[in-house]
Amino acid sequence: QDFDLKPRKMGYSDVSAAAASQDNVHVQALEDWLRSNGGRLSQAIAIADGTCGRGAFAVGQGISTEMEVCCIPEQLLITEKIAEASLPCGSELRAAAEELNPNDSGILLLTAFLLKDGALDTAKAANGMNDVSSKSQFVPYYKSLPSKLHHMPVCWPSDCELHELVKGSHFERLLKAKRHLLGLEFSLLQCYAPQMARSWEEFLWARCIVSSRAYALRLRASDSPQRCLVPWADLLNHGGHGQVSVRYAFEASPDSSDSGSFIMKCIETDIPCGMEAFQCYGSDKPNAKLLLDYGFVLPVSLVAPAITSLSIDPPRPQETDAPKRQLEAQMIQKLWKAAGGRGAGRTMTAEVTRASSERLLPLFRARALCTILDLTEQVDIAAFELSQPQTAEVERNALVTLRQAATSAISQMPAELDATGINTSSGNSEWELASATACGAVLSEEREVLQFHVRFAEHGIACLAGGEAQSADHPGMEEWLISIEKPEFHYAATYFEQLGKVLA
């Protein structure tokens, strides 16, 4: 009965009883390995296949507040420092990775470690895909990992129809940017560790395993947090707002400051028998980020506000006389900068939510002023309070441009997705249909954000004209304001009140 409150975690579907049984065997072996090496796992929690895939569920009497869920000793963690020390090129790879992307240097080191340690080969062997013998101490952990990650967008095959389904969306831009960055990381790995001789697909598998599972832990009080893979703990799914039921931390051993354990405990509310225990992958992640980084989406009420993007063209000089054109360009640059714009002369891509009108309007006001003012003479830019409505002419011009930008973005997006119409001739119908459904949810949220800005602009334009932007399909201003959420309502209501003063 609580299906809609659980993560739609793709990639762990119970496709057959045999597959589920095999997974459980590997999880049991992992738990036995952890316990035999000093780990503690609560008997009140079990890894099982639920309505939405594999997760951690309370059993027996359930999990009470502050009960320990697991304790994983440090020697069973795969840390970025272990990875760096075990790689022949570890220190050089870290230095290069920090220059490329300081935030993800630890992730690349762990990725290289998994490739060197044969993690993918072991995962495939566990799923009957090949036969391999490994001497790694982490074999029980590797066997519990999925050997295929098609549900992760960066792992979609190049000929997969899903690429066409997201074409023109903000999500497509996020996906292309991530694949480009991963391509640079792969080049670094090939440069500093050519002996690994791993393919792009193998790299993607290891990189996605690490980025979707690694924790940031401070293992020593004097050290910076480092990325760590924590066997078993990463089997708990992500919970949205109001769902998170556990917390975790690395705690030093009472006997020695040089060792410790990863501790996970139940937080404020008990978890009754049969309910899933959720951890938090990040409370500020919208569905687009969850889909991009983890391969699933949640109901809108459980995630951060949706994000999309708008392309904004900056004002450009119109004067043909060289000296005047130079002064005009200087004035435009000052005005654009004062409005919060960047990259004068180049189209600017701004990430926006429904609450972004307050940040967007100054840019469009600056554009309007550039067409109205004579900028071939010195103008006191500081005299214009761009965060507030200007004259009726400037505001109308700004709102029309906002509407045009949002409408243009909507027109570039694909049509509404129908997952049942996707071509699944590749034989991977289950993950493709699930991914198409998740993409449909993300693109629907994007479209809703853009439509919000269209309606905001239309109501503002109508207000300046002394009427209301009302039709059979869209409510009037008062009804529309009542229908939107508090953060957007507060700004919109205040803004329309200010427009009334401008007209007065």
Side-chain angles (χ1 to χ4, degrees):
Q1 64 273 22
D2 58 337
F3 175 82
D4 288 337
L5 297 180
K6 292 183 179 179
R8 297 168 185 170
K9 184 100 172 183
M10 298 177 290
Y12 295 119
S13 299
D14 183 11
V15 294
S16 70
S21 175
Q22 188 180 52
D23 283 345
N24 291 338
V25 167
H26 296 317
V27 170
Q28 184 61 56
L30 172 63
E31 293 177 343
D32 292 343
W33 172 70
L34 291 170
R35 289 190 174 105
S36 66
N37 285 277
R40 297 194 301 269
L41 303 175
S42 173
Q43 297 290 346
I45 196 166
I47 306 301
D49 293 307
T51 310
C52 302
R54 187 165 68 174
F57 295 85
V59 296
Q61 299 300 311
I63 307 172
S64 58
T65 303
E66 290 300 317
M67 177 184 286
E68 181 183 275
V69 174
C70 71
C71 172
I72 313 296
E74 183 176 351
Q75 67 267 22
L76 301 182
L77 309 185
I78 306 177
T79 70
E80 63 179 76
K81 287 192 175 180
I82 287 177
E84 181 179 355
S86 70
L87 296 167
C89 57
S91 58
E92 293 86 355
L93 182 59
R94 175 186 284 280
E98 287 180 346
E99 285 190 16
L100 176 66
N101 188 358
N103 294 330
D104 286 349
S105 59
I107 288 179
L108 184 56
L109 285 168
L110 289 174
T111 299
F113 180 87
L114 292 189
L115 292 172
K116 173 180 175 293
D117 213 32
L120 177 55
D121 293 333
T122 303
K124 286 182 175 180
N127 288 284
M129 298 175 64
N130 61 19
D131 186 17
V132 66
S133 176
S134 174
K135 295 182 180 180
S136 171
Q137 76 171 101
F138 298 107
V139 164
Y141 175 52
Y142 298 156
K143 285 185 175 181
S144 72
L145 298 175
S147 57
K148 293 183 178 180
L149 298 174
H150 286 319
H151 64 287
M152 303 284 278
V154 295
C155 295
W156 291 345
S158 58
D159 59 348
C160 177
E161 190 177 350
L162 293 168
H163 292 290
E164 285 297 316
L165 295 182
V166 300
K167 196 169 185 179
S169 66
H170 176 65
F171 181 77
E172 182 198 31
R173 287 187 280 275
L174 293 178
L175 178 55
K176 285 184 174 180
K178 183 164 185 176
R179 285 184 66 91
H180 174 72
L181 180 58
L182 296 188
L184 297 177
E185 289 186 7
F186 183 53
S187 297
L188 275 186
L189 199 58
Q190 290 178 310
C191 178
Y192 287 94
Q195 68 277 11
M196 288 186 185
R198 294 292 185 167
S199 68
W200 167 244
E201 288 74 22
E202 290 171 317
F203 166 78
L204 281 182
W205 178 88
R207 178 58 164 75
C208 288
I209 285 290
V210 172
S211 62
S212 64
R213 292 169 178 265
Y215 296 80
L217 302 174
R218 190 184 299 276
L219 303 188
R220 303 289 177 269
S222 58
D223 292 347
S224 299
Q226 60 173 300
R227 301 283 185 160
C228 307
L229 289 170
V230 185
W232 193 89
D234 58 13
L235 293 174
L236 272 72
N237 288 325
H238 169 68
H241 297 160
Q243 285 190 310
V244 178
S245 48
V246 301
R247 58 178 171 82
Y248 59 83
F250 186 86
E251 298 181 7
S253 170
D255 302 324
S256 171
S257 60
D258 294 331
S259 64
S261 300
F262 173 94
I263 307 290
M264 180 179 283
K265 293 182 178 181
C266 179
I267 52 178
E268 299 170 355
T269 306
D270 295 349
I271 308 174
C273 180
M275 296 300 293
E276 185 170 358
F278 293 112
Q279 61 181 318
C280 181
Y281 296 176
S283 60
D284 60 343
K285 295 181 185 295
N287 267 332
K289 188 68 172 171
L290 291 176
L291 178 58
L292 183 69
D293 293 342
Y294 304 100
F296 66 87
V297 296
L298 292 177
V300 174
S301 62
L302 301 178
V303 296
I307 297 176
T308 187
S309 56
L310 284 180
S311 294
I312 304 174
D313 291 323
R316 293 180 172 84
Q318 301 299 316
E319 182 60 54
T320 56
D321 180 68
K324 290 185 177 181
R325 184 180 179 86
Q326 184 177 6
L327 178 59
E328 184 185 15
Q330 292 174 354
M331 291 295 101
I332 286 175
Q333 188 171 8
K334 289 181 180 179
L335 195 59
W336 190 240
K337 185 177 180 180
R342 57 184 187 276
R346 294 181 298 174
T347 298
M348 170 182 165
T349 300
E351 288 195 340
V352 297
T353 67
R354 283 170 48 131
S356 296
S357 300
E358 188 173 8
R359 180 166 55 88
L360 293 172
L361 282 175
L363 295 169
F364 294 122
R365 289 182 187 122
R367 276 185 46 125
L369 285 169
C370 288
T371 63
I372 295 170
L373 298 175
D374 182 3
L375 297 181
T376 60
E377 299 179 357
Q378 288 289 344
V379 175
D380 182 11
I381 302 299
F384 297 97
E385 183 55 64
L386 295 173
S387 63
Q388 302 295 323
Q390 302 291 306
T391 65
E393 181 184 8
V394 169
E395 214 58 25
R396 184 178 296 106
N397 190 314
L399 289 167
V400 167
T401 312
L402 170 60
R403 181 178 61 183
Q404 290 173 342
T407 302
S408 175
I410 292 173
S411 68
Q412 294 174 32
M413 291 186 66
E416 295 280 355
L417 289 182
D418 179 6
T420 60
I422 186 174
N423 179 10
T424 58
S425 58
S426 61
N428 297 313
S429 59
E430 187 173 350
W431 73 262
E432 285 184 286
L433 288 173
S435 293
T437 300
C439 288
V442 168
L443 267 59
S444 177
E445 291 176 27
E446 279 192 39
R447 192 175 288 105
E448 192 277 335
V449 171
L450 294 170
Q451 289 170 341
F452 173 87
H453 288 291
V454 170
R455 295 303 298 163
F456 177 91
E458 287 177 343
H459 284 301
I461 294 167
C463 181
L464 289 169
E468 280 203 8
Q470 188 171 1
S471 67
D473 297 325
H474 299 292
M477 183 189 297
E478 288 189 9
E479 188 178 346
W480 179 72
L481 284 173
I482 293 172
S483 71
I484 62 180
E485 297 176 3
K486 285 185 178 179
E488 297 87 45
F489 169 83
H490 176 73
Y491 176 75
T494 302
Y495 174 73
F496 293 135
E497 183 180 345
Q498 290 173 334
L499 283 190
K501 294 178 180 178
V502 169
L503 290 173

